[in-house]
Amino acid sequence: MKRFQNSFLSDVAFLSFIVVCIVMTIFVSSDPNAYVVNVILLNAAFLIAIITYFSTMMTGLILNLLFIFGYGSFTIYQAVTLGELVGTSNYFWLVMTPIVTILAWLLTQTNRKLQEENDHLQRQSLTLVMLDEKTRLKNTLSYQQDITTFMALSERYKIPLTLLVINVKYWDEIKRIMTAEKFSSALLEVSDISQSLVRTNDSLYLLNNENPTWGIVLFTDIEGASIVIKRFKDKINELNEYEFKEKYAVELQLRIGTAQYDPQNPVSPLELISVAKRTMEYDV
C-alpha cells in the first residue's frame, strides 16, 4: 500500500510538473513585449527547481524567498521610477515559481522513497531466496544445498543421517474452515513447535507452505528419529487439548515420515524427501 502511494504521488507530481511547464511556456509566448523578461524569469524558476531537486526543500524555500524579494523589489522599482503598472505577469511569476519548486521537491522525494524501497526489496530478496517469508525458516532450495553437505559428512565420518518429513493430516479440509489469518497463525505455530523440539545441530526446513510440509534433518538413525517423532506428537496432543481447539476450532494432527540416508545407495535430496513421504502412508 505504501509503495502504491509513493508511486501515485510520484506520477501526480510528474504530471503536474509537465502541466505547469506547459502553462508557463504558453504564458511566456503570449506576451511578445515582455518576452525577454519572461524568459529570464522562466529560466530562474527552472534553475531554482533544479537546485531543489538535487538538494533539499529548505534550500528551495530560501531561493524562493530570495527570488520573491528580488523580483518584488524589481517590480516596485519599475512601478515607482518608470510608472509601470503592476500586472498579471508580476503575480504570475510570484506564484508559479514556488509551485514549480514544490513539485520538483515532491518529485524527488517520492523518487527517493521508491528507490529506497527498491533497494530494500532487493536486499530482502537476497535474504528471503533461501528463507520462507512468513516463518523465516529455510526453504526447499536451502534444504537441497544443505543436505548435499550433510550427505558428504555422513559418508565421510560414518554419521547416521535421517530426514523427517512432517505435514498436518486433513490439511485441505482444515484450511477450508480457516481464515487467511488463522492459516498464517497455524503455520507459524507449528513451525515454532518444530523449531523448539530440535537440537541446535539439527536443521529445520519448510518444504512447502501451501500444503504445509516441514523437513528436519537429524544426525541420528531411525531409532533416534522415533524419539523425536514421539516428542512432536506428544507436544501436539498436549496443545490439541486446550490451545488449538480454542484458536482454530479443530485439532491439528501430524503425519510424519522418515528416511535414513544410505551411503551405499545414495539418492538425491529430492528423492530422499519422496522416500520419507512414502513412509507417511503407514503413519495413521
Side-chain angles (χ1 to χ4, degrees), residues 139-158:
N139 59 18
T140 304
L141 179 60
S142 181
Y143 158 79
Q144 291 185 70
Q145 293 185 356
D146 291 348
I147 196 69
T148 303
T149 303
F150 297 154
M151 287 175 175
L153 290 173
S154 176
E155 291 179 14
R156 182 171 183 178
Y157 297 106
K158 310 301 180 184

Side-chain angles (χ1 to χ4, degrees), residues 69-176:
F69 177 79
Y71 185 60
S73 300
F74 175 73
T75 302
I76 293 172
Y77 170 78
Q78 283 187 316
V80 172
T81 59
L82 302 178
E84 293 186 5
L85 297 175
V86 178
T88 307
S89 61
N90 302 105
Y91 295 110
F92 178 85
W93 293 112
L94 291 175
V95 173
M96 295 304 290
T97 303
I99 290 177
V100 173
T101 302
I102 291 171
L103 290 175
W105 172 79
L106 185 60
L107 185 60
T108 187
Q109 282 296 104
T110 51
N111 284 343
R112 284 175 183 172
K113 287 182 179 179
L114 288 172
Q115 185 62 46
E116 289 172 0
E117 289 176 8
N118 184 53
D119 293 340
H120 173 71
L121 289 173
Q122 287 182 350
R123 290 193 301 270
Q124 191 178 45
S125 65
L126 291 175
T127 303
L128 295 180
V129 70
M130 304 294 287
L131 299 175
D132 177 73
E133 187 175 0
K134 292 180 181 178
T135 62
R136 308 294 295 179
L137 294 178
K138 295 179 180 179
N139 59 18
T140 304
L141 179 60
S142 181
Y143 158 79
Q144 291 185 70
Q145 293 185 356
D146 291 348
I147 196 69
T148 303
T149 303
F150 297 154
M151 287 175 175
L153 290 173
S154 176
E155 291 179 14
R156 182 171 183 178
Y157 297 106
K158 310 301 180 184
I159 303 173
L161 183 69
T162 302
L163 172 67
L164 300 186
V165 175
I166 307 166
N167 64 19
V168 180
K169 288 182 181 179
Y170 318 117
W171 180 256
D172 291 336
E173 289 75 14
I174 291 173
K175 189 169 64 173
R176 292 193 187 99

Side-chain angles (χ1 to χ4, degrees), residues 207-226:
L207 303 176
N208 188 336
N209 59 2
E210 294 297 329
N211 182 13
T213 304
W214 295 265
I216 303 177
V217 178
L218 305 171
F219 285 99
T220 185
D221 54 16
I222 293 293
E223 291 183 3
S226 63

